[in-house]
Amino acid sequence: KALESIKMTQLSRRQATSENVETDPLAVFHGAFQNVMPVMGTRGVRKGGRLYQVPVPLHPNRRRFLAIKWLITAARERSGPRRSNKMPDRLAAELLYAFNNQ
């Protein structure tokens, strides 16, 4: 349902403007996913009785998990124009924002 909503939104956007708009919903999904995935994380290291947060590269599984978690959380927190907005529509809007780096 969310991918259908992305397709319809992108098609209406393509008809309204003359710019080149990506209409493949899977390409939009993968592009948004790549934009959201973190590269680095922090890990606590004890040194001299103090705890320091040290940046470390993340494992690909952890990167995917965080990206999915952040997208779903952002979609849940999105209120939209009406309170009766359905989750697929909110997720589609969040994916489009992530795809456009907004």
Side-chain angles (χ1 to χ4, degrees), residues 40-46 51-59 62:
M40 302 290 283
T42 58
R43 176 133 327 167
V45 175
R46 286 189 68 84
L51 187 65
Y52 296 102
Q53 295 293 324
V54 177
V56 293
L58 291 175
H59 193 269
R62 178 74 177 156

Side-chain angles (χ1 to χ4, degrees), residues 13-87:
R13 189 168 156 209
R14 175 189 256 181
Q15 291 172 353
T17 63
S18 61
E19 64 186 59
N20 190 10
V21 176
E22 180 64 55
T23 56
D24 181 21
L26 286 178
V28 171
F29 174 76
H30 288 296
F33 203 64
Q34 288 296 322
N35 289 342
V36 172
M37 275 200 288
V39 178
M40 302 290 283
T42 58
R43 176 133 327 167
V45 175
R46 286 189 68 84
K47 190 167 188 170
R50 304 233 3 196
L51 187 65
Y52 296 102
Q53 295 293 324
V54 177
V56 293
L58 291 175
H59 193 269
N61 289 338
R62 178 74 177 156
R63 293 178 66 200
R64 280 190 297 272
F65 169 76
L66 287 174
I68 291 169
K69 180 180 172 183
W70 291 344
L71 283 171
I72 291 173
T73 302
R76 281 186 182 146
E77 292 173 353
R78 175 182 285 280
S79 62
R82 293 184 308 248
R83 199 66 183 146
S84 64
N85 242 1
K86 302 292 183 205
M87 184 62 179

Side-chain angles (χ1 to χ4, degrees), residues 1-11 21-33 92 95-96 99:
K1 181 86 176 153
L3 294 179
E4 291 174 11
S5 179
I6 289 172
K7 178 92 171 179
M8 296 304 291
T9 304
Q10 292 294 83
L11 284 175
V21 176
E22 180 64 55
T23 56
D24 181 21
L26 286 178
V28 171
F29 174 76
H30 288 296
F33 203 64
L95 285 169
L96 285 172
F99 180 72

